[in-house]
Amino acid sequence: MSHQRYPSHEVKEPHSVSLKVLRLSRPSLVAQFPLQPPFSSSSTETTHHHRPPIPASLAYSPISKNKSADDANDADTLAGPSDAKPLSSTFTNPDPFILSPILNLPPSFGSAYVGETFSCTLCANHDIPPPIDGGPPLSRKTIRDVRIEAEMKTPAGALTKLDLLPPDHHDDDDKGKQGKTGVDLDPSVYDSSTLQKVLSFDLREEGNHVLAVTVSYYEATEMSGRTRTFRKLYQFICKGSLVVRTKTQSLSKRGPGVKGKRRWVLEAQLENCSEEAMQLERVGLGLERGWICREDLNGWVDQEGKDKPVVKPGEIEQVCFVIDEEQDGDGDGDGDKVAREEGGDGRVGFGVLQIGWRGEMGNRGFLSTGRLGVRVAA
Amino acid sequence: MSEPEPSGQKGHARTKSAVKATRPRSSTKGPLDVDDVPLISPSITSPAVSAPLNVPLAPPAARPLSPNLPPPRQPRMAPLSHHGPRSPGPHPRTPGTTSPNFPRSPALSPAPATPGMRRGPSRPKDFAYLLRPEIYHPLTPLNVPPAFRNQSGKISPDTPIPDLVARGLFRAAAIAATQALTGTGDPAVLPQPEPTDHARIFDLLYTRLACLTLIDCASLAAQEVKALGDLNSPFYFEETPSGGAVHIVPWELRVLNIRLTAMGFGDLRRAIMSFYELAREARANLGDAVAQHDNSAKELWKDRLADLGVRVAGALVEMDDLRGAAEHLSGVKGANGDGEGKMAMSRALLFLRLGDVESARGCVVVGGGGGGDNRAKGDCTVAEKVVLALCDMADGEYGVALRRWEELREETDDEMVGVNTAVCLLYLGRMQEGRALLEGLVGEGRASHTLLFNLTTMYELCTERSKGLKVKLSEKVAAIGEHEKTNADFKL
């Protein structure tokens, strides 16, 4: 995510509050490659036992260094803790398996895809620069009433104000309603040198998005005070994740004068054009009034025990549905209904295709196609 | 501690590989020699014989021996084979060290009739090709934070390698292992092994490679492991008194070799194949142990077999075949008593990685003790609760997950639970609490890579000037006596 700083015009002095941002994709499971200790460091013959791995080769080690260092010497713990291996504490690590349950924060921004929920955290920090070498100590500043606001500008040009969580809450409730008052930052008080917020935004469009964050605060010195504001822009590109191609064909009996409801088959190809595997969780039709999905020909949808398809990057999954015109209770009027919905070109729209998926670590995605239609045979 | 500079080759990787990646021609050496001079009488002693042998071998001699070459399926064989005539093995490079291998044992004479596998046990094999300095890369301390560098400066040069490993000084251990192998260290402390002392050579080599992977230098290890060549070559087998053949390379080194070789060639499918080859051997040994009622051997081979099964799944994960890995794991039995729980956990983690949260929950809820809904009964094991908390996080329910993690923290002092609680707090906008929690863990003497990474990430979020905090953290961790970390661990 590239960002530019827009210094406010009136003040040249560096800001006393810094803003830091981290995209909160899902945290990831840490990989590990457990290794047996070198044989020379164990007194036993190599063929006697399958020894526990070197703790340093695990994603997290079962033993706390301090605790073990008390009685046993370090050598024993590190080389092969044959004695100090409490099963209960090693058990959560499924070594020698490659994945471990310990979670890593997202190391980088990664790619943003249409259909995902973009989430990120904003931290406004009490960050008064230290005095320049040899210079006089800066006068003590107090930072009060810090507020963060965030907006997302989408490629279509829309500007959306984003909700920030958690809502401000203070011990002194009399300060006013949430959102109206900022937060005081004081590094000398535990836990209050940073104001942290989390935002999320559903990505719906491909292209350039700009996250604009405005931080305002009141900077008070012993003598005076002023309100200061700065704004930072974070730009990122949102890519398409899924290409959906659809085709509808009539299944009804042909010919004029054929009575009964009409029936179509809808086929769709879902191509994963992202760089991550996705597991399709739900593919369904959002039908308009007057239509009914007679048959869902995709065995895995809504069925227990069936593996949901995993679509790797570049792969395609094909789905198929049979759609009927809904029959009125008295059995007539179908034609009228269809006719009502027709545009001028003989096309009838029946609804949308909705696709929900999960990415790595359960990251959710959801897409809905544009309105799909059929050509009504004359 | 400095390391021997690879002799006279700087610069381009390709030139390097011509020297370094030379397959050990050793696998063809014995029979080749015999073929060359088929009529050597046992009475002829070394000076006379070794001279012609050390002349680079005539290419025709290689032909009849092709059965002894490792099967050509390895892709690396192709580009390298044409070097064959030019680099006929280690002998010419180290004539001094090889001469003790001659005279030959007369047992070798019938070798042409008995291909590789049944080689005379009495003839000592020559592993001088693993003692060449040009195999090993110099290691720079530049990516180690100063706090740790100062610490390793205090190591006494006569510290034995096992102690270095035990103290977590993996870089120093890797360097010392190389010094011993190449005879560039202090002979009193690190005597160079005899070229025939394969136990010690492999011990040192394993120490070297294992330590490299522990200091984030696995790619170097992947280069250096090539010196071993194909471990399936008959050269690495020795005849047992009972007539069978045993592999002389320690099991741990063979397992590590598979991973490193796959890394070096970027071919994980190969790793899976090699794991299966090892598994076949383990199975055979297990059968023998059962037949001989050797219980400790039986347990050992059972464990090794289970270990391989899990490693195959790991290779599948690295190939991004998560579904395949999950299928595979469902057929693998864990080692020991805790195997089943570990398997359930492993499969759950796979499903989580895939994003299939429901299947992940299924792994623990169905597999758990009482059956039915364990959560209601509250009799989940710690591991099951961990999976459930991870599932909640995957669902984006960080509040629910936090409650689970906090419950777990009361039950266990597992580092992972602490780290995950802190991660959860960050996602809930309570980073300051998470940071305090992680700092507390460091204070308790924990210092996993992930803990440090997450904590330094939080430092970066807390201030524009996080470097000071990171350096302080590195000093704190160094003071604990934790094994040597790299700058990357502290994002320095």
Side-chain angles (χ1 to χ4, degrees), chain B residues 378-394:
Chain B
D379 60 352
C380 288
T381 63
V382 169
E384 285 168 346
K385 287 181 189 167
V386 167
V387 170
L388 294 175
L390 289 171
C391 289
D392 288 334
M393 288 183 80

Side-chain angles (χ1 to χ4, degrees), chain B residues 188-205:
Chain B
V189 187
L190 299 168
Q192 189 177 24
E194 287 293 315
T196 51
D197 183 0
H198 62 76
R200 184 138 184 278
I201 290 176
F202 290 139
D203 189 353
L204 288 167
L205 187 63

